[in-house]
Amino acid sequence: MSEISIALPLLRQEKEREWKGPFYFIQGADPQFGLMKAWSTGECDSGGDEWGQETRLTEQAVRAVNRLNPKPKFFVLCGDLVHAMPGMPWRKEQTEDLQRVLRDVDSEIPLVFVSGNHDVGNVPTPETIEEFQQTWGDDYFSFWVGGVLFLVLNSQFLYDASRCPALKQAQDQWLDQQLSIAGQRKCQHAIVFQHIPLFLESIDEDDDYFNLSKPVRKEMVDKLSKAGVKAVFSGHYHRNAGGIYQNLDMVVSSAIGCQLGKDTHGLRVVVVTAEKIVHRYYSLDELSEKGVEDDLMDLLKEK
């Protein structure tokens, strides 16, 4: 796995703590190798023995990202990398095929992996977390790019940590330490990546499979917004959604793989300027054929 994530240490260098001007990155979510066949046959829990469509879509995403000029600072995948849950058939094969595709990402574009429920299980255990760490890297961590602090969270700890309470406690303590850095405004911006959205549209919406429970989401939003976090980017919903609460932009991006709504297979382009974070979802075809639009590229020229 090191051969496709080896560039990540570059983002942890001390020099990256300094603001150097606008930049952009690419967010993707839910390649989820195996879901398209399982969804089409109504066998989401036990199916998933084919993933040729997801393979082709992820290959298209990689080619589109590699063509971008200037290069994005990194490419983050916000969870559900494969469909087969821990211990289920096809998991090893799906993982190997996804890793093979991702090896073609330009070596100068670091890959950042976020854990999803299909990666560590709906109710994670120490064993499933260790498997993810061995396969993809840490399940929560921070890194810096150009003066911006990025925090990657394991949102399954926020969903159901009943079988690994000590691991959740460790992430909670770590997050408080990281947010103290953001709260002291020692960074230009702070941005969070996690798989499950805090909410889909509104902080007061009903609890759902696709969001976090009301008590958890409100506690998290208060904590993040108090520390000055500007945006949370997630996946999980397989549709585009999101909303703003207390100046926190909750961004829910649709999938590279299986679509559960009316959106298209795609990626999100995120431009970070000194004052704001601007993002736009592109279909894979749009990004492949036309690249990033001029109005977003012009933001990179701001002083």
Side-chain angles (χ1 to χ4, degrees):
M1 194 53 216
S2 60
E3 56 192 294
I4 69 171
S5 57
I6 194 166
L8 186 55
L10 297 176
L11 303 182
R12 290 174 168 160
Q13 294 178 359
E14 194 67 28
K15 66 181 182 180
E16 288 294 344
R17 292 175 180 252
E18 300 174 15
W19 176 254
K20 300 183 181 69
F23 63 88
Y24 80 106
F25 64 87
I26 303 296
Q27 182 219 5
D30 301 272
Q32 205 159 342
F33 278 30
L35 176 58
M36 294 177 79
K37 167 73 179 298
W39 183 262
S40 70
T41 60
E43 299 176 322
C44 284
D45 292 334
S46 59
D49 60 345
E50 294 179 14
W51 49 92
Q53 294 178 86
E54 290 95 338
T55 298
R56 290 187 290 275
L57 289 162
T58 308
E59 288 172 341
Q60 183 181 5
V62 168
R63 289 193 300 271
V65 171
N66 285 347
R67 275 200 209 92
L68 294 173
N69 184 27
K71 296 181 192 301
K73 287 292 187 179
F74 61 90
F75 178 15
V76 57
L77 287 171
C78 281
D80 278 5
L81 306 173
V82 299
H83 180 61
M85 291 274 192
M88 294 298 288
W90 313 113
R91 183 172 173 87
K92 179 174 181 288
E93 293 83 357
Q94 290 171 3
T95 299
E96 289 175 349
D97 279 356
L98 176 58
Q99 291 183 342
R100 175 183 55 77
V101 172
L102 293 177
R103 287 190 186 100
D104 287 334
V105 173
D106 188 310
S107 62
E108 295 182 25
I109 303 173
L111 276 160
V112 178
F113 299 110
V114 180
S115 62
N117 58 304
H118 281 262
D119 304 311
V120 297
N122 285 323
V123 185
T125 68
E127 292 75 24
T128 66
I129 298 299
E130 182 178 4
E131 184 206 341
F132 179 87
Q133 293 170 342
Q134 293 294 324
T135 306
W136 299 105
D138 293 339
D139 58 318
Y140 63 90
F141 56 95
S142 64
F143 62 94
W144 292 80
V145 174
V148 176
L149 175 61
F150 292 92
L151 305 175
V152 173
L153 301 184
N154 182 341
S155 57
Q156 290 313 118
F157 291 155
L158 306 174
Y159 182 80
D160 187 344
S162 58
R163 297 179 66 186
C164 54
L167 295 179
K168 178 191 184 299
Q169 184 180 17
Q171 176 175 266
D172 289 346
Q173 292 173 345
W174 169 86
L175 178 59
D176 288 342
Q177 293 170 349
Q178 295 295 313
L179 291 179
S180 71
I181 298 172
Q184 296 167 40
R185 302 301 184 266
K186 293 182 178 179
C187 52
Q188 190 74 22
H189 301 292
I191 295 173
V192 169
F193 298 121
Q194 61 187 57
H195 180 61
I196 301 177
L198 298 170
F199 56 87
L200 299 174
E201 295 179 349
S202 167
I203 188 70
D204 295 316
E205 69 196 21
D206 291 340
D207 292 356
D208 188 275
Y209 171 78
F210 290 109
N211 61 20
L212 293 175
S213 67
K214 281 185 182 179
V216 172
R217 85 174 73 127
K218 289 186 174 180
E219 178 186 354
M220 285 294 293
V221 167
D222 288 344
K223 181 184 292 191
L224 297 177
S225 59
K226 182 180 179 181
V229 173
K230 292 285 184 68
V232 176
F233 290 88
S234 69
H236 190 52
Y237 193 41
H238 294 255
R239 286 154 282 201
N240 287 311
I244 296 175
Y245 180 73
Q246 294 183 355
N247 296 318
L248 179 72
D249 190 4
M250 180 64 247
V251 185
V252 185
S253 294
S254 197
I256 293 172
C258 188
Q259 301 298 309
L260 302 185
K262 297 180 180 179
D263 295 296
T264 55
H265 312 282
L267 296 168
R268 190 172 296 274
V269 175
V270 186
V271 178
V272 182
T273 75
E275 302 298 328
K276 59 190 177 182
I277 298 159
V278 181
H279 51 86
R280 187 173 300 158
Y281 187 83
Y282 285 86
S283 73
L284 294 181
D285 288 343
E286 288 173 329
L287 198 60
S288 299
E289 294 165 11
K290 301 176 182 177
V292 180
E293 291 163 297
D294 289 343
D295 63 321
L296 289 183
M297 287 290 100
D298 287 345
L299 293 174
L300 299 176
K301 301 172 185 175
E302 293 183 4
K303 296 286 178 144

